[in-house]
């Protein structure tokens, strides 16, 4: 800066801005994700905390469905922000979680529109849309109900051997080892 013969100088220090926040952009209610500092020495803030809770130095937990702003402020005061979407988790799976080999049981969860999957179709298969599980052979299978957002609920289905079924007076059958 110069005025006539007089002049003044001012030093400017340029500090690097934090890079982009490299974290998943979504999480399910009740699940956690870890975020990585774009540059060391800064702090994290999440707003609103009614949607996402920040714990420890960089762990985010979904509290309720919605969107929250994740902001990282470097030690020099520079800011990086990322939006985090919190998706609803399906309800706990209900229904009888045991069946005889060759029998069926109906499971349910909300909201509707999710997809049912068995991790062990050699033991139990399940209709992807219906929630009707069929016992195939003795053992256990993890059954999950998955929403399109990636959020899911799971239960364990136990399949009793078909030979354990015996008739009940008055009609029907009872399968030993099944509820």
């Amino acid at each position: 800066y110069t005025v006539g013969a007089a002049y003044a100088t001012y030093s400017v220090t340029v500090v690097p801005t934090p890079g982009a926040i490299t974290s998943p952009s979504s999480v399910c209610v009740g699940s956690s994700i870890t975020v990585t500092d774009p540059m060391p020495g800064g702090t994290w803030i999440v707003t609103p905390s009614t949607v996402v809770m920040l714990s420890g130095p960089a762990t985010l937990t979904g509290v309720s469905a919605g969107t929250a702003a994740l902001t990282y402020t470097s030690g020099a005061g520079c800011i990086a922000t990322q939006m985090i979407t919190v998706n609803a988790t399906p309800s706990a799976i209900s229904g009888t979680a045991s069946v005889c080999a060759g029998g069926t049981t109906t499971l349910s969860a909300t909201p509707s529109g999710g997809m049912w999957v068995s991790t062990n179709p050699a033991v139990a298969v399940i209709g992807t849309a219906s929630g009707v599980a069929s016992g195939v052979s003795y053992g256990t299978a993890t059954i999950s109900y998955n929403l399109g957002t990636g959020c899911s609920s799971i239960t364990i289905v136990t399949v009793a051997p078909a030979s354990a079924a015996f008739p009940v007076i008055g009609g029907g059958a009872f399968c030993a080892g099944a509820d």
Side-chain angles (χ1 to χ4, degrees), residues 46-76:
V46 176
T47 52
S49 59
T50 55
V51 174
V52 174
M53 180 179 66
L54 176 65
S55 60
T59 300
L60 302 177
T61 302
V63 175
S64 64
T67 304
L70 171 64
T71 303
Y72 180 81
T73 304
S74 71

Side-chain angles (χ1 to χ4, degrees), residues 11-114:
S11 295
V12 175
T13 302
V14 178
V15 295
T17 59
I21 296 171
T22 55
S23 74
S25 61
S26 66
V27 63
C28 300
V29 170
S31 295
S32 297
I33 57 175
T34 301
V35 293
T36 304
D37 292 355
M39 64 183 356
T43 57
W44 294 100
I45 296 174
V46 176
T47 52
S49 59
T50 55
V51 174
V52 174
M53 180 179 66
L54 176 65
S55 60
T59 300
L60 302 177
T61 302
V63 175
S64 64
T67 304
L70 171 64
T71 303
Y72 180 81
T73 304
S74 71
C78 298
I79 295 173
T81 302
Q82 177 177 328
M83 298 307 291
I84 303 291
T85 300
V86 179
N87 298 304
T89 301
S91 67
I93 296 171
S94 61
T96 302
S98 58
V99 64
C100 288
T104 63
T105 186
T106 301
L107 303 176
S108 63
T110 57
S112 62

